[in-house]
Amino acid sequence: MVEYIHNDDMDAGLAGVKPSDCALLVIDALGKVEGTPLEDVLLAPTNNIARLCRAAREKGIPVVFANDAHFEGIDHELDLWGRHGIAGTPEAQPSPQLELQDGDYVVDKPKYSAFFQTRLRSLLGDLGARTLVMCGFDTNICVKHTAADAYFNRFDIVLVDDATGTFLIGDQREGLEYMQKCYAARLASTDEVVRLFES
């Protein structure tokens, strides 16, 4: 059972965060989850990501999907983790329950970080985003590397703890706490962020 951490005082961790400054950044929530070996790990967080996407869209908050887009034969990440997220395949598209919309933004990422060799930084600047509300997978790999680059680029970070998940390496709680301590990330639940978006 995944253990999540967020504030007992339900919205204290988001004090001062303005929805108008936010963009929702969904990292590697890809492909069909139901019926896969990882359904028990990914389904609940993916459903929470779907709630976040709906709430953001209803309030005009940008929804940005950062998706793996690997190339066989030249991408050494595939040597580490096996074949996954191949550019152009259904497994490299947002999960169906996230209901990708025409008004959403999609950034293909070749490496762990959604900032590395992508247009994400420029896109966020054009959108006027200053706070990244981050969710997705894997907490200790792509989410963590993206959070590092977000911090280095001086974005404020909100990590949605029950809309992330760890299944490849490390511990969920330790990964979240690392980003909280090292990248000044605020931890919040899906319920808290939905309330923020609706405020």
Side-chain angles (χ1 to χ4, degrees), residues 28-192:
D28 289 341
L30 303 174
K32 182 181 177 183
V33 174
E34 294 91 338
T36 69
L38 292 172
E39 179 176 352
D40 288 347
V41 176
L42 299 184
L43 185 57
T46 300
N47 287 336
N48 284 334
I49 294 170
R51 287 184 58 206
L52 293 167
C53 290
R54 288 192 297 269
R57 292 178 188 125
E58 287 174 5
K59 295 298 182 179
I61 295 167
V63 177
V64 181
F65 291 94
N67 300 339
D68 270 351
H70 299 305
F71 294 93
E72 291 186 280
I74 61 171
D75 194 332
H76 63 280
E77 184 179 322
L78 302 180
D79 296 333
L80 282 176
W81 304 110
R83 188 180 189 276
H84 70 282
I86 303 301
T89 66
E91 292 75 25
Q93 309 306 313
S95 298
Q97 57 262 58
L98 305 185
E99 300 177 333
L100 179 67
Q101 304 289 309
D102 288 341
D104 297 337
Y105 301 89
V106 177
V107 175
D108 292 334
K109 65 182 188 66
K111 307 297 181 187
Y112 297 151
S113 171
F115 285 90
F116 186 77
Q117 295 182 346
T118 74
R119 61 189 180 94
L120 180 60
R121 181 66 183 85
S122 175
L123 172 63
L124 294 171
D126 290 342
L127 294 171
R130 299 177 58 189
T131 299
L132 300 187
V133 179
M134 294 175 50
C135 55
F137 311 108
D138 183 290
T139 303
N140 288 304
I141 304 177
C142 294
V143 175
K144 182 181 284 187
H145 284 274
T146 300
D149 280 344
Y151 177 73
F152 301 150
N153 280 282
R154 302 187 67 82
F155 288 98
D156 294 325
I157 301 167
V158 174
L159 282 173
V160 191
D161 60 4
D162 58 356
T164 61
T166 298
F167 55 92
L168 287 170
I169 187 170
D171 174 85
Q172 171 80 358
R173 184 182 183 94
E174 289 178 359
L176 293 170
E177 288 180 338
Y178 181 95
M179 288 181 276
Q180 184 181 36
K181 293 176 181 177
C182 294
Y183 307 136
R186 304 184 190 210
L187 301 182
S189 68
T190 298
D191 286 343
E192 289 177 281

